[in-house]
Amino acid sequence: DAMVIQNPRYQVTQFGKPVTLSCSQTLNHNVMYWYQQKSSQAPKLLFHYYDKDFNNEADTPDNFQSRRPNTSFCFLDIRSPGLGDAAMYLCATSGLGSTSPFQETQYFGPGTRLLVL
Amino acid sequence: GEDVEQSLFLSVREGDSSVINCTYTDSSSTYLYWYKQEPGAGLQLLTYIFSNMDMKQDQRLTVLLNKKDKHLSLRIADTQTGDSAIYFCAERYDGATNKLIFGTGTLLAVQP
């Protein structure tokens, strides 16, 4: 089945130690998104890639970076995690420009829960 | 501003109908979505509705859209304990990037 995969599902890191979260997709979608979701809150968009074009949200801290080496993979790098960065990180994809609204919908992975000690 | 609002909590008994409400702000939104999130999991797309529709039915789910009042609702018929989760509505406010604004989420608790 086509899907959005996130690894690892749980990640523990130390304060200030760089960490990378991974997302891959088999949907061949051209857009990939990264969201941060804190407890009891709605997901908050950090940035997205439209093909190779990176689009940062205005209020995303510089501590958060992303890479998309190819269509299938996208990485979220947190350069110096703080205690406030502990959250669920969600990756989503969509097939923008498709004639099908079903394809243009955002599909989410299971998330990676990050714990910062 | 861009705010999508939902009530925080809804409790129903198994077998009853649940209605989760959402108000959105951008009248130009083309699509509105309902997602379900179970504890510790990602968001699962339940259904979506195009802005020129008033109603969409999909098995136990019925979505009603009142564009004049910017009000969206999700009705779940014959609610089951497996429906217990947080439900997010979302509006697509940027067609060029398909960016979504999510509501605050409604926790649905189904009592056996």
Side-chain angles (χ1 to χ4, degrees), chain B residues 8-25:
Chain B
L8 285 180
F9 181 73
L10 176 65
S11 179
V12 300
R13 293 197 178 200
E14 193 172 19
D16 288 349
S17 292
S18 308
V19 179
I20 302 171
N21 294 302
C22 170
T23 55
Y24 61 98
T25 58

Side-chain angles (χ1 to χ4, degrees), chain A residues 42-113:
Chain A
K44 178 179 178 296
L45 183 65
L46 296 172
F47 27 59
H48 73 277
Y49 269 97
Y50 190 159
D51 292 324
K52 295 182 180 179
D53 293 331
F54 177 70
N55 298 272
N56 202 25
E57 292 301 296
D59 56 354
T60 298
D62 292 340
N63 198 25
F64 292 86
Q65 304 284 319
S66 186
R67 296 170 283 135
R68 189 180 186 186
N70 53 52
T71 301
S72 302
F73 284 86
C74 195
F75 300 99
L76 169 62
D77 300 309
I78 308 177
R79 293 193 296 189
S80 181
L83 298 178
D85 296 328
M88 172 79 93
Y89 290 88
L90 297 165
C91 174
T93 73
S94 73
L96 206 60
S98 168
T99 55
S100 163
F102 186 75
Q103 282 292 321
E104 290 206 323
T105 301
Q106 284 194 30
Y107 293 91
F108 284 79
T112 294
R113 183 164 295 281

Side-chain angles (χ1 to χ4, degrees), chain B residues 1 3 9 15 22 24 30 34 54 56 59 61 72 74 76 79 95 98 100 111:
Chain B
D3 281 324
F9 181 73
C22 170
Y24 61 98
T30 52
W34 283 103
D54 298 324
K56 180 179 180 182
Q59 299 182 331
L61 305 178
L72 182 72
L74 174 69
I76 306 172
T79 312
N98 200 24
L100 301 177
Q111 311 298 326

